[in-house]
Amino acid sequence: MTRTGRGGAGRSEDEAPAGAAAPGGGTAPRRNGTPGSGGVPGEGGGAGTGWGAGTDWDAVAPGFDAGADHGLRDPAVRDAWAGRLTAWLPAAPADVLDLGCGTGSLALLAARAGHRVTASDRSAAMLAEARAKLAGTGTRLVRADAAHPPFAPRSFDVVLVRHLLWLFADPAAVLRRWCALLRPGGRLVLVEGRWKDAGLPLAEVTALLAPLTERLHTEPLSGDADLWGGPVGDERYAVVASPAPPRRHSEIVDVHLFLRRGDEVLLARRANTGYADGLWHAPSGHVEEGEDVRTAVLREAYEETGLRLTPEDVRVALVMQHAAPSGGSRIGWFFEAVHPAGGEPRNAEPHKCDALEWFPLDALPDGLVAYCAAGLDAYRAGDRFVLHRHAPDDPVARVAGVPGRAVVLRESGER
């Protein structure tokens, strides 16, 4: 049986038949080999055990706690781990998820410290051992795949994982999933190591965590013989990581003016800007700090065309959320005004625009910016709320044969 975090198909323990072998599949192992010498490090295997990525953990479970740091039967070893957990976990009570919990020794320490613990493992036999050990503690036991934990995002204050990350083919993806389980201010606690040709060095783990975390604390564990029931000569360590808070989504807001003269609309051809040069676009620009959208469109109209429009001259035509091929998104407010409001338009920014011309709405020029073209299509159709999201390989210009990408949103009251 391939070990994938001793997790299976995400079933709850109540659904798993007692003594059944863990279901196959899941994430392919990243490292093979037998971890370490001079002790049995966590769930990763140990000297002389032959344990590794292909171990049948149901078969191993009955004797698993013979390892000093597995069963924690020696009071000195148990106290050493309890002291570390006290430092790594927040004040009780906190919601703690122990992934790849094995026979539940660390989960038991966390429960005795007053935490609300969920213990998860792929192996039914391991969970049977854990159930007996954790009886009466209120710990929830779940049979599941640690690579794809079946828990809602932001469900836990702590995700605790010991000697498990090294077994996954894509540890970066697994770490992202584990971090997603944490509430704001939560902690990911990893105990890992490097044993001969197996495991993960600390530098690799911290590099994987760097883009996911706001704070990172590491502790060497090799020198604490009490943790392992004796001296060890390989690399063992803990990492306590606080994921970066989710970044609040923000978007540019821009404004566009459809200036009408009968059945015609005014368009400008961009030049010397570095973006969409040579393409036609309606007069437009970004909303500046402190502006509302109406003030912004009046300002842009004056800066680009010399028009002195008043608030009474403009009406909202539509609103569009747009995403560029690069993925950057913005909200566009499209306004309508009718010539000769504000005066006669002129090219007021010749350094950014090399032409200003009227075009029939039903005979628009080739070489339109696709964003603007989608706005004009919606305007002609009377659509008021539109999504327009480019695919990554789409051109900036409207090109025949490329899908338009616009999706019209239904308005309240529509049937």
Side-chain angles (χ1 to χ4, degrees):
M1 176 185 72
T2 298
R3 178 189 181 197
T4 59
R6 287 203 304 275
R11 300 188 302 176
S12 72
E13 171 61 14
D14 291 339
E15 295 172 291
T27 305
R30 182 170 185 266
R31 305 281 202 276
N32 290 315
T34 301
S37 59
V40 186
E43 291 89 12
T49 67
W51 296 349
T55 296
D56 181 346
W57 295 101
D58 282 349
V60 167
F64 190 73
D65 278 353
D69 61 311
H70 288 165
L72 309 188
R73 293 166 176 168
D74 183 329
V77 176
R78 184 169 57 250
D79 290 347
W81 281 103
R84 296 284 179 163
L85 286 183
T86 297
W88 296 337
L89 304 186
D95 291 311
V96 177
L97 173 62
D98 184 359
L99 285 172
C101 67
T103 59
S105 295
L106 292 188
L108 180 60
L109 293 180
R112 285 178 173 171
H115 296 291
R116 298 179 293 265
V117 180
T118 297
S120 173
D121 202 288
R122 177 179 184 174
S123 165
M126 287 286 188
L127 282 174
E129 298 286 334
R131 183 185 290 108
K133 187 179 296 184
L134 293 163
T137 65
T139 298
R140 176 189 175 201
L141 291 159
V142 179
R143 185 180 178 191
D145 183 355
H148 300 273
F151 306 104
R154 300 190 181 192
S155 297
F156 298 96
D157 302 304
V158 178
V159 174
L160 171 65
V161 192
R162 182 168 65 155
H163 295 135
L164 196 62
L165 183 65
W166 71 279
L167 287 164
F168 298 115
D170 188 354
V174 172
L175 286 171
R176 286 194 298 271
R177 296 185 197 111
W178 292 350
C179 287
L181 298 175
L182 291 168
R183 297 176 180 134
R187 304 178 189 185
L188 174 63
V189 179
L190 301 176
V191 178
E192 282 292 336
R194 177 70 178 166
W195 313 278
K196 295 183 179 178
D197 59 347
L200 288 169
L202 174 60
E204 185 171 347
V205 173
T206 56
L208 290 170
L209 284 169
L212 303 174
T213 56
E214 186 176 44
R215 295 185 301 277
L216 200 64
H217 169 72
T218 64
E219 289 184 21
L221 303 179
S222 300
D224 189 345
D226 285 344
L227 290 171
W228 316 109
V232 296
D234 44 32
E235 181 186 22
R236 305 184 189 187
Y237 57 85
V239 179
V240 181
S242 297
R247 188 179 66 177
R248 187 179 295 275
H249 178 68
S250 61
E251 294 187 325
I252 294 169
V253 178
D254 55 27
V255 291
H256 310 252
L257 178 65
F258 293 155
L259 182 65
R260 293 287 303 277
R261 187 177 69 179
D263 292 333
E264 296 178 315
V265 66
L266 185 70
L267 298 177
R269 189 167 62 197
R270 299 175 63 89
N272 305 315
T273 68
Y275 172 77
D277 290 335
L279 302 181
W280 294 95
H281 197 292
S284 61
H286 294 174
V287 176
E288 295 182 353
E289 186 71 27
E291 284 187 320
D292 59 63
V293 292
R294 186 174 63 177
T295 300
V297 77
L298 300 182
R299 174 184 53 76
E300 289 289 347
Y302 176 73
E303 290 176 356
E304 296 190 15
T305 68
L307 295 175
R308 296 182 178 275
L309 297 169
T310 68
E312 291 71 27
D313 292 327
V314 295
R315 294 177 296 277
V316 177
L318 65 115
V319 178
M320 179 187 297
Q321 186 186 38
H322 164 74
S326 64
S329 60
R330 61 185 61 207
I331 299 291
W333 285 73
F334 293 76
F335 288 84
E336 175 194 58
V338 179
H339 178 268
E344 196 63 32
R346 60 182 176 82
N347 185 359
E349 292 184 329
H351 57 295
K352 295 181 180 179
C353 169
D354 63 7
L356 195 66
E357 297 184 21
W358 297 96
F359 293 93
L361 271 171
D362 59 359
L364 295 170
D366 294 332
L368 269 171
V369 173
Y371 178 20
C372 178
L376 286 165
D377 289 345
Y379 175 62
R380 289 183 297 184
D383 299 323
R384 303 297 300 276
F385 302 98
V386 182
L387 301 178
H388 182 258
R389 304 185 69 83
H390 278 297
D393 296 329
D394 283 353
V396 173
R398 168 167 287 184
V399 175
V402 176
R405 308 297 184 192
V407 176
V408 177
L409 300 180
R410 295 176 62 190
E411 299 180 40
S412 176
E414 282 189 13
R415 298 293 181 184

